[in-house]
């Protein structure tokens, strides 16, 4: 009986030894990821437009309209059409650089007053798109422009 008791004690010691020394420090093997800023800086062209939910892309010539959002926080508009702002240049900023859902526009002389467009990002294949929804003045008219990054 003493012999079995010694074997059990030895087994417990060996087991305790393996448990103690076989455990490694916790290693987090997930790669370090960094949040990517979703800056909309660039030149954007309209590929789809709706007014009050009705498609109007073929009703007007949107092909020449360009929204240029510069990295320095300024914007310019080429070939103006109904848009969230009436001035063809000014400043812009996002409500959040990593999870933006609002795009603020500031017109010259109205830097304290922001004009807001709802924004969503979409990715189709390797192309990035943004959708801006807004009411330019009359609240009963709501426009939604789908932009794709393009060239001037």
């Amino acid at each position: 009986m003493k012999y079995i008791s010694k074997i059990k004690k030895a087994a417990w010691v060996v087991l305790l030894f393996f448990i103690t020394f076989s455990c490694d420090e916790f290693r987090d093997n997930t790669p370090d990821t960094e949040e990517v800023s979703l800056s909309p800086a660039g030149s954007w062209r309209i590929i789809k437009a709706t007014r009050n939910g009705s498609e109007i892309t073929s009703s007007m010539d949107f092909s020449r309209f360009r929204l240029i959002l510069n990295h320095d926080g300024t914007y310019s508009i080429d070939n103006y059409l109904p848009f969230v702002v009436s001035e063809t240049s000014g400043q812009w900023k996002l409500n959040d650089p990593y999870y933006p859902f609002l795009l603020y526009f500031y017109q010259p002389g109205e830097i304290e007053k922001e004009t807001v467009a709802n924004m969503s990002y979409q990715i189709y294949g390797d192309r990035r798109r943004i959708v801006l929804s807004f009411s330019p003045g009359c609240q009963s008219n709501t426009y939604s422009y789908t932009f794709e990054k393009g060239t001037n």
Side-chain angles (χ1 to χ4, degrees):
M1 223 22 152
K2 283 184 164 183
Y3 184 68
I4 294 176
S5 177
K6 287 182 179 182
I7 292 176
K8 282 184 181 180
K9 284 182 183 178
W12 277 110
V13 169
V14 170
L15 182 63
L16 186 60
F17 176 81
F18 280 115
I19 289 174
T20 304
F21 294 105
S22 66
C23 294
D24 224 349
E25 282 185 29
F26 174 74
R27 290 188 190 140
D28 184 6
N29 291 330
T30 57
D32 289 335
T33 57
E34 186 176 313
E35 293 289 337
V36 176
S37 173
L38 293 177
S39 172
S43 176
W44 297 90
R45 63 185 177 90
I46 297 173
I47 60 169
K48 181 181 176 186
T50 63
R51 182 180 58 226
N52 301 330
S54 299
E55 176 88 29
I56 61 168
T57 311
S58 60
S59 302
M60 297 178 73
D61 181 14
F62 290 98
S63 65
R64 295 179 12 190
F65 180 92
R66 293 291 181 271
L67 172 62
I68 298 118
L69 301 172
N70 299 307
H71 289 281
D72 66 358
T74 60
Y75 75 85
S76 62
I77 297 173
D78 292 342
N79 301 302
Y80 186 83
L81 290 169
F83 195 58
V84 67
V85 289
S86 57
E87 295 291 329
T88 58
S89 65
Q91 296 178 333
W92 68 272
K93 76 173 186 173
L94 297 173
N95 67 312
D96 185 305
Y98 301 107
Y99 304 103
F101 59 90
L102 296 175
L103 181 57
Y104 299 109
F105 290 94
Y106 301 91
Q107 298 181 88
E110 298 180 10
I111 298 303
E112 320 72 51
K113 183 182 172 205
E114 57 199 25
T115 306
V116 182
N118 292 318
M119 184 177 93
S120 66
Y121 263 99
Q122 302 174 347
I123 298 178
Y124 288 93
D126 63 344
R127 308 284 313 196
R128 184 185 296 179
R129 294 179 180 174
I130 57 173
V131 179
L132 297 180
S133 301
F134 55 90
S135 292
C138 178
Q139 295 299 326
S140 63
N141 284 326
T142 302
Y143 288 84
S144 181
Y145 291 167
T146 302
F147 290 89
E148 192 171 80
K149 229 174 197 180
T151 59
N152 288 342

